[in-house]
Amino acid sequence: MSDSRNPESRNKLKMLYLRDIFMNYSDEEHYITLPQIRQKLEEFGIKAARKALYDDIESLRAYGMNIVLDRNKGYRLLDERFTSAEIKVMVDEIASSRLLTDENAAKLVSKIEKLGNSFVEYEHGRSIYVSERPKNTNDRIYEVIDIISKAINEKRVISFNYFDYTVRKRRKFRDGIYKCSPYALTFNEEKYYLISYCDRHPSAFTHFRVDHMTNVVITDEPAVIQNSELNIEEYMESTFSMFSGRTEAVTMRFENRFVNAVLDRFGYETKLHPVDDEHFSFTVNIKTEHPEPFFAWIFKFNGGAEILEPLTVRDNYFEMLHKSIGE
């Protein structure tokens, strides 16, 4: 093996060092001059003549690197690397995710930060303040997701153990080993779910919390192929949506300060009608056959939201409120 401290060996690595210099010290907004490039190379123990560097840069261009020269400012590399803002967004999302354990989140943040260049290094290790939220305790979530994805692609049955938590926060495993044909992985409210066909529930599709699955193994058994294609969007709408079941047109009155919340939930195409200086009303189609999640959403506005019509939905909401206080 050659010694990288040997001048001859270092010169053989010059093109790799030069590539790294462009990637780490230039981008769409930052330039690097030829003298600065030579200085960076010298830090690696490599001395490069000006003409030789011109030839090396042309070789990198021929290789496919989009290196642009501005004769007044210097060189810059235009590529698809993540910007500082993009990395900040990804890091913040990962750090605040309920999907990952604290340890897994820290490791992933460290890897994501390396996708940037030297201009975002001043942000490394910055504190990210997020609202307190429960973290996942399953540190093998990556592995489970990878195994399930492979089984879906290979159309093979998986087996696994499934657990719930007790009031003492201990795992309580359900009886036996589950075997199912995996169809899709979905992500809802910061949790992964497996949609599958399971022998235990042959009459319908079944979904499982991925972070509650352990000992996941791909079997040699081929997956069961359904006659009708699974519509993932319809399944998620009927299973995970807070508005599931029979559809009704529901009219509501909200305080003006909750306009953003209404538009975030129902979309900016929702027609809002001013009622007075402090209230607006709107009508949307809501699936109210199982209205409890919808009522919980209304309740969080602390009296600032009111169901007007239909009266059956309004009465059902009042009935739930009475039950919640023991009346």
Side-chain angles (χ1 to χ4, degrees), residues 87-99:
I87 288 179
K88 290 175 187 175
V89 170
M90 288 189 289
V91 166
D92 289 354
E93 286 293 323
I94 291 167
S96 60
S97 173
R98 297 173 59 178
L99 173 68

Side-chain angles (χ1 to χ4, degrees), residues 18 21-23 25-34 36-37 54 56-62 64-80:
L18 186 59
I21 289 171
F22 276 112
M23 294 185 70
Y25 298 99
S26 73
D27 60 17
E28 193 166 320
E29 299 178 355
H30 298 84
Y31 295 81
I32 186 168
T33 65
L34 202 65
Q36 289 173 330
I37 293 174
Y54 289 142
D56 292 336
I57 292 172
E58 287 304 316
S59 295
L60 290 179
R61 284 172 172 157
M65 296 183 70
N66 189 13
I67 300 173
V68 178
L69 172 63
D70 183 313
R71 297 191 179 278
N72 295 320
K73 297 181 179 179
Y75 293 93
R76 57 178 176 162
L77 174 63
L78 305 180
D79 66 0
E80 296 299 321

Side-chain angles (χ1 to χ4, degrees), residues 35-54:
Q36 289 173 330
I37 293 174
R38 295 177 69 183
Q39 179 181 350
K40 292 292 184 184
L41 286 173
E42 288 180 2
E43 292 175 5
F44 294 111
I46 297 172
K47 293 186 178 181
R50 179 180 292 269
K51 185 179 183 307
L53 271 182
Y54 289 142

